[in-house]
Amino acid sequence: MVTIYGIKNCDTVRKSLKWFDAKGVENKLHDFRVDGIDVKTIAGWLDEVGGKVLINKRGPSYRNLSDTDKATLEQGGPAAAEILAANPTVIKRPVVDFGNTRTVAYDEARWAELAGV
């Protein structure tokens, strides 16, 4: 089972869900807005992929953060995970969890490799 983290009204998340469905890969959506996201999970993602990959600096959610919060995100660590948990729309979408590996952003080639399709 693949878990797709994001928000259901995000075009890229919807496109991702359709891709996995079309390939016959069992999946479920974990909607940040509905299901929330905990600091421990985000801290793990930051350790695995890093802030440069995980943080979406191009969106309005990031631009609306305070300069202090932006500086904290640059430094990483537990404080950055707390800011992302409180503002999950700053996380680049989708985060796709294959169980032992996570990918960030839309990446059909990598997903096909990891899902074996």
Side-chain angles (χ1 to χ4, degrees), residues 39-111:
V39 173
K40 184 178 176 183
T41 299
I42 294 172
W45 293 348
L46 285 169
D47 287 344
E48 184 175 349
V49 302
K52 289 185 180 186
V53 172
L54 189 63
I55 299 167
N56 179 12
K57 294 183 178 180
R58 294 174 33 189
S61 296
Y62 180 82
R63 288 192 298 271
N64 290 334
L65 291 175
S66 70
D67 289 340
T68 303
D69 285 350
K70 290 176 186 175
T72 302
L73 288 175
E74 289 294 323
Q75 295 170 2
E82 289 180 25
I83 291 170
L84 291 173
N87 303 280
T89 55
V90 175
I91 297 170
K92 197 176 291 179
R93 300 179 295 269
V95 175
V96 181
D97 188 337
F98 286 87
N100 59 354
T101 304
R102 269 124 319 269
T103 65
V104 179
Y106 193 89
D107 189 345
E108 288 181 8
R110 182 80 171 122
W111 295 341

Side-chain angles (χ1 to χ4, degrees), residues 4 13-14 21 31 33 55 57 60 63 70 82 91 106 109 113-114 117:
I4 301 167
V13 170
R14 286 197 303 257
D21 287 342
D31 190 317
R33 288 189 177 143
I55 299 167
K57 294 183 178 180
R63 288 192 298 271
K70 290 176 186 175
E82 289 180 25
I91 297 170
Y106 193 89
E113 174 187 325
L114 290 169
V117 294

